[in-house]
Amino acid sequence: MRGHPVDCVVKSPVALQLGDVVSDSVRPGVYITDVVFTEPVNIQEISFKNFYTAYLTVRVLKNVEGSDESPVKWFTCVRNYCLMSNPHTESGSQDYFSIYRQQMTTEPDKVITVRLILRQPSSVWLSFNIQDIKIYSSADEESERDVPSWLATITPAEEPVDLKGLPDPDTVSSSIQHMWALTEIMQSSQTSASIGRFDVDGCYDVNLLSYT
């Protein structure tokens, strides 16, 4: 799951044009846009909205450990990524795109600057660029193992209820079992003979008789 985009500065596009820029009226077919980070970033995703750019090349300037020549070096991660199936038609001209690190030929780790090279060979369109550029960093192993927020907010278990002054549960359970056993014995030995209303041991109690 991606989080918030990293802080970066997207510089204005620079036209790459042959000849005299002032006198040459030919529209430039290549623009370069640099994205600069405040600190090195391990890139997970580059997302943007296209605006009539046909092909995109992504280069990164990153720290190189153990290099004797230079501590930083340029690498090409994506070359001529197709954004428009046909440069002369509208297809894909204003679509949203995402390029993930799995699609890159070089691991985009410890990146200082991302250089986006935009190319449009068709002269049909007056201008082209890419908009709403957002870059997301890859989550490290520790953050992937973070406890979910809903689990972290669970309150601790309540303290056990104070049972002081109450009968011992084992004694109560034993008494209940004893009463149940007596009930079973009484039901099994119960006679089916009918007993008269005032008959007590085969005799009538005079006090129970009513006179009419």
Side-chain angles (χ1 to χ4, degrees):
M1 183 182 297
R2 70 181 186 182
H4 299 287
V6 299
D7 295 332
C8 59
V9 177
V10 180
K11 295 187 176 182
S12 301
V14 177
L16 194 63
Q17 187 172 2
L18 298 177
D20 189 355
V21 178
V22 177
S23 60
D24 194 350
S25 60
V26 178
R27 182 189 61 83
V30 179
Y31 279 96
I32 296 177
T33 299
D34 283 349
V35 181
V36 181
F37 303 111
T38 56
E39 59 183 5
V41 174
N42 296 340
I43 298 176
Q44 173 64 31
E45 176 187 353
I46 302 174
S47 68
F48 56 89
K49 180 183 179 182
N50 188 28
F51 187 77
Y52 297 98
T53 298
Y55 304 99
L56 172 66
T57 295
V58 180
R59 303 197 71 200
V60 295
L61 179 66
K62 64 178 187 176
N63 292 325
V64 181
E65 296 182 356
S67 176
D68 297 333
E69 299 178 357
S70 175
V72 294
K73 188 176 180 181
W74 284 100
F75 295 88
T76 300
C77 292
V78 178
R79 187 184 299 275
N80 292 331
Y81 186 80
C82 183
L83 303 179
M84 298 174 63
S85 57
N86 187 337
H88 305 286
T89 63
E90 290 274 352
S91 178
S93 60
Q94 299 186 55
D95 291 349
Y96 282 89
F97 291 87
S98 288
I99 300 177
Y100 300 92
R101 66 181 293 123
Q102 293 82 358
Q103 300 173 265
M104 302 180 185
T105 57
T106 301
E107 291 186 354
D109 295 333
K110 299 181 180 179
V111 176
I112 303 172
T113 302
V114 174
R115 175 162 292 174
L116 306 174
I117 304 174
L118 321 179
R119 203 160 57 86
Q120 176 53 273
S122 175
S123 59
V124 175
W125 320 113
L126 297 177
S127 62
F128 63 94
N129 55 48
I130 59 176
Q131 306 167 347
D132 195 20
I133 301 172
K134 295 179 180 178
I135 298 180
Y136 299 88
S137 62
S138 57
D140 55 20
E141 296 180 359
E142 292 298 328
S143 62
E144 291 177 355
R145 291 195 296 265
D146 283 347
V147 178
S149 58
W150 63 267
L151 186 59
T153 56
I154 293 179
T155 56
E158 296 181 357
E159 295 182 358
V161 180
D162 186 10
L163 301 179
K164 185 177 180 180
L166 296 178
D168 182 54
D170 294 336
T171 304
V172 175
S173 176
S174 177
S175 300
I176 293 176
Q177 291 180 359
H178 183 65
M179 292 176 62
W180 175 80
L182 290 177
T183 303
E184 290 292 322
I185 294 174
M186 291 177 65
Q187 288 181 350
S188 62
S189 61
Q190 185 177 8
T191 177
S192 60
S194 60
I195 301 177
R197 181 177 179 185
F198 305 107
D199 188 6
V200 179
D201 292 334
C203 302
Y204 288 100
D205 188 351
V206 178
N207 296 326
L208 298 177
L209 297 177
S210 62
Y211 296 92
T212 57

